[in-house]
Amino acid sequence: NCKWSDKYTQSRNRQTSVKFEINGEVKILTDIAKENNLYPQTIKDRLSKGMSIEEAISKPYKYTRK
């Protein structure tokens, strides 16, 4: 059995997609970022600094110019 999917659906259904469970729902990082008006890289950076996923998405984005 085979199911045809568009490129958008196929790209989201990959082993390399980063998935998190929030409120009992499993979502990929790009969806979480879009829902919270953040960049995926911002969330990745916050997670690498030791924040939990809940902390990473609850903190507002602060733009700083270097």
Side-chain angles (χ1 to χ4, degrees):
N1 293 337
C2 187
K3 178 184 171 186
W4 291 97
S5 300
D6 60 354
K7 283 188 176 189
Y8 177 74
T9 306
Q10 288 179 359
S11 67
R12 297 163 51 76
N13 191 22
R14 300 180 68 178
Q15 283 184 333
T16 56
S17 296
V18 181
K19 299 175 186 172
F20 295 97
E21 185 175 342
I22 299 176
N23 300 329
E25 265 188 275
V26 177
K27 296 182 180 182
I28 62 172
L29 181 66
T30 53
D31 286 343
I32 295 168
K34 188 177 278 189
E35 290 171 4
N36 293 285
N37 295 325
L38 295 168
Y39 294 108
Q41 189 60 47
T42 301
I43 297 174
K44 285 182 185 179
D45 292 343
R46 291 175 179 179
L47 293 171
S48 69
K49 291 179 182 177
M51 288 185 174
S52 68
I53 186 67
E54 288 82 11
E55 290 174 325
I57 62 174
S58 65
K59 184 177 177 184
Y61 178 73
K62 184 171 74 173
Y63 176 76
T64 58
R65 196 173 208 185
K66 292 183 179 182

